[in-house]
Amino acid sequence: MDQIRRVIIALAAVLVWALVPNAVQAEEHELVITHMEIAETNIRPKVGDTVKFINQADIAHNLYLTYEDGTVQNLDTQFPGMSKTAKIERSGKVVVRCWIHPVIRMEFDAADAD
Amino acid sequence: MIRRGAQMSLSLAAIAFAAVSGLAEAGGITISTAAGDKIITLEALKERYERPDAIPFPNNNPYTEDKEKLGKKLFFDPRLSRSQIVSCATCHNPSLGWSDGLPKGVGHGMEPLERRSPPVLNLAWALSLMWDGRAHSLEQQALMPITAPQEMNMTMDDVVDRLRMVPGYRELFSEAFGETDSINAKNIVAALATYERTLVSHKAPFDLWVEGDEDAISAEAKRGFVTFNTKARCSACHAGWRFTDDSFHNIGLETDDVGRGKFTPPSVAIMKYAFKTPSLRDLRMQGPYMHDGSMADLDEVLEHYVKGGRKSPNLSPEMRPVKLSKTEQSDLIAFLETLRGPSVKPQLPDLP
């Protein structure tokens, strides 16, 4: 019985994924921090996507994202070799900065979710 | 960007030995990164400290000679303070390394201030100003001590009124800004900022060594440079030609001053008790040191870094205890001495 129930649930999940147009899978975008800069990239994530920041510098960072409405998303301290992930919450211009190192600054545009 | 030298075939151990034994020129220098140890040549490491060719001036306040001339007079003019006895140069005295030589500054009414007066050299390149980074430009910064009640204790309206009554200033402002009635707060700080941007350290022996003069600094200083960039990890914060990353670190001092933490959300624990990394160029070797002047000499400073600072949840991740021998410590001090160039001493202006 358990096996049949599991198969039904799996089939239902596949059906929902296939039939519901808005059930788009979130993407993950990667950005690399090298010393005091975030490697240039042209990411254009959508709301709900994630952006993964990989610290390849030999120093710690503490990145934060600021949305157009002023909302701040803090990623906490990120030691060398550590990755931190931000889920994009709002569309529009997003500014990424570091609390420790004000020289770090990058921007990308986030699109509305499909 | 880390550059790999041509000596990659040398074993890491051999290279590390070469670096710490002062033979770095013959091999490479081992730098720790997130991806593991990397090796760079000494020449590549020196390139990180090359001086820039020109002073940057912002588009909204471009350089003119007249503006610099006016800014210099304002910088040395005590009439910018309520008491008329305190000028910018009182706390940023060229004869005292553009600071005041005191553990903490002295403000209006001879009352002690909370922090040491930072030197004002090489600020044209600074990304944030003040120990807590609350000013983002020299124009913004120039306004702060003038109008702080505990410092020069003026309002800009009062400064403008006072300067208008001084014969000679009207003409100086006209020459600098090309308007008939140009004595105003915006132009006062623009002139001050322009003058401050021209205050740049002269070439030091270290710069000559970076340029290729092997005799410019001693063997001890060369070893100190390698230790500075490797084992001691001073360069994690004291980076680039100004020897500062313009960033904020809690280095584990005993202090009630939250520093940068006043301007960051409470959740950003790492910024509590954090202060801006000071430049090491033209360091007054006789101290005092730290944002609060709490350390009297460089031996005390090095001892602090050897121990790694007071442990706390807010301590910078760059602060880790490090074992440095007495020779390594004296090499570091020998290196720091090579960052001192001829004094930047202006001819004092005649005030109108």
Side-chain angles (χ1 to χ4, degrees):
Chain A
M1 276 307 276
D2 269 1
Q3 200 171 358
I4 293 168
R5 193 184 305 151
R6 262 190 246 127
V7 169
I8 290 170
I9 290 169
L11 283 173
V14 170
L15 205 61
V16 168
W17 184 82
L19 295 180
V20 179
N22 286 332
V24 178
Q25 287 173 308
E27 284 184 56
E28 182 173 82
H29 307 261
E30 283 190 358
L31 293 173
V32 173
I33 315 165
T34 55
H35 196 56
M36 294 237 205
E37 115 184 275
I38 299 173
E40 204 170 321
T41 178
N42 292 316
I43 64 165
R44 186 164 164 75
K46 298 184 295 293
V47 172
D49 285 358
T50 53
V51 179
K52 183 178 182 183
F53 296 91
I54 305 163
N55 185 4
Q56 288 187 359
D58 56 353
I59 51 177
H61 293 290
N62 191 149
L63 299 182
Y64 63 100
L65 284 64
T66 308
Y67 295 95
E68 278 183 8
D69 65 358
T71 307
V72 170
Q73 197 175 346
N74 183 26
L75 295 189
D76 214 346
T77 306
Q78 187 170 354
F79 293 91
M82 188 185 274
S83 294
K84 290 275 183 182
T85 301
K87 187 174 180 184
I88 300 304
E89 296 172 349
R90 289 165 176 74
S91 60
K93 189 170 85 172
V94 182
V95 180
V96 184
R97 303 205 68 177
C98 176
W99 289 118
I100 304 170
H101 308 102
V103 69
I104 294 178
R105 181 191 171 95
M106 75 155 296
E107 295 178 9
F108 59 82
D109 286 315
D112 288 319
D114 290 333
Chain B
M1 194 68 190
I2 289 163
R3 297 168 186 229
R4 286 173 183 269
Q7 300 83 1
M8 286 296 286
S9 58
L10 289 171
S11 79
L12 204 65
I15 288 163
F17 173 77
V20 296
S21 58
L23 299 174
E25 296 91 333
I29 295 168
T30 309
I31 303 282
S32 293
T33 74
D37 286 343
K38 297 280 178 71
I39 301 161
I40 65 171
T41 63
L42 182 61
E43 289 309 311
L45 190 57
K46 284 167 152 185
E47 280 177 20
R48 295 180 177 184
Y49 296 93
E50 283 178 359
R51 294 171 63 105
D53 294 328
I55 302 172
F57 288 88
N59 291 335
N60 61 1
N61 189 16
Y63 173 82
T64 68
E65 205 173 317
D66 288 329
K67 229 189 283 184
E68 179 193 351
K69 183 177 149 193
L70 170 62
K72 184 178 184 180
K73 288 181 190 293
L74 293 170
F75 189 88
F76 286 92
D77 195 333
R79 287 168 292 190
L80 266 65
S81 65
R82 176 80 53 203
S83 63
Q84 304 199 59
I85 58 171
V86 178
S87 71
C88 304
T90 303
C91 296
H92 304 288
N93 184 337
S95 299
L96 293 166
W98 296 88
S99 181
D100 53 17
L102 300 169
K104 288 179 180 171
V106 176
H108 183 73
M110 296 305 287
E111 290 295 319
L113 299 171
E114 294 293 313
R115 299 171 185 164
R116 183 167 66 86
S117 303
V120 292
L121 291 178
N122 310 318
L123 294 184
W125 291 265
L127 299 164
S128 53
L129 297 134
M130 304 293 205
W131 281 110
D132 54 21
R134 66 186 185 276
H136 303 294
S137 70
L138 274 170
E139 287 76 8
Q140 192 185 5
Q141 185 277 330
L143 198 71
M144 290 176 173
I146 297 172
T147 56
Q150 65 276 31
E151 295 186 46
M152 295 164 84
N153 193 25
M154 281 291 265
T155 66
M156 287 313 287
D157 285 345
D158 288 344
V159 174
V160 169
D161 288 345
R162 193 176 280 173
L163 294 183
R164 280 180 176 156
M165 292 168 66
V166 179
Y169 264 129
R170 195 173 296 273
E171 191 183 340
L172 286 164
F173 273 84
S174 275
E175 286 166 1
F177 296 100
E179 302 155 21
T180 50
D181 183 21
S182 53
I183 302 182
N184 58 48
K186 181 169 173 276
N187 290 343
I188 290 168
V189 295
L192 280 167
T194 299
Y195 174 62
E196 287 189 80
R197 287 193 177 96
T198 66
L199 302 176
V200 180
S201 291
H202 291 307
K203 274 189 186 175
F206 171 75
D207 298 308
L208 302 178
W209 180 60
V210 167
E211 288 175 358
D213 180 355
E214 282 304 318
D215 297 328
I217 67 174
S218 66
E220 291 81 3
K222 290 175 190 175
R223 284 200 307 265
F225 174 67
V226 173
T227 304
F228 183 90
N229 282 281
T230 54
K231 188 177 179 184
R233 298 187 77 252
C234 312
S235 61
C237 304
H238 294 284
W241 81 275
R242 289 186 300 122
F243 293 87
T244 170
D245 57 1
D246 274 329
S247 302
F248 303 94
H249 306 275
N250 174 344
I251 59 166
L253 297 172
E254 293 283 350
T255 178
D256 295 327
D257 185 344
V258 294
R260 184 67 182 155
K262 188 175 175 186
F263 303 95
T264 55
S267 60
V268 187
I270 203 165
M271 287 294 97
K272 280 181 190 159
Y273 313 107
F275 294 88
K276 192 180 154 188
T277 309
S279 171
L280 300 179
R281 273 200 181 261
D282 293 313
L283 202 60
R284 252 174 76 79
M285 302 308 282
Q286 59 269 53
Y289 302 104
M290 304 302 180
H291 75 278
D292 54 1
S294 57
M295 293 190 189
D297 57 53
L298 278 176
D299 289 334
E300 196 179 346
V301 172
L302 288 182
E303 190 58 28
H304 174 78
Y305 286 112
V306 164
K307 287 179 180 168
R310 190 172 65 90
K311 300 287 171 290
S312 82
N314 317 107
L315 187 67
S316 165
E318 314 308 336
M319 289 295 292
R320 303 167 208 162
V322 56
K323 280 187 183 169
L324 293 176
S325 67
K326 287 294 169 198
T327 303
E328 286 169 326
Q329 293 190 36
S330 63
D331 286 348
L332 279 171
I333 291 176
F335 165 63
L336 291 175
E337 283 171 347
T338 70
L339 303 182
R340 286 184 58 77
S343 297
V344 179
K345 278 190 182 162
Q347 188 177 358
L348 292 179
D350 291 326
L351 300 181

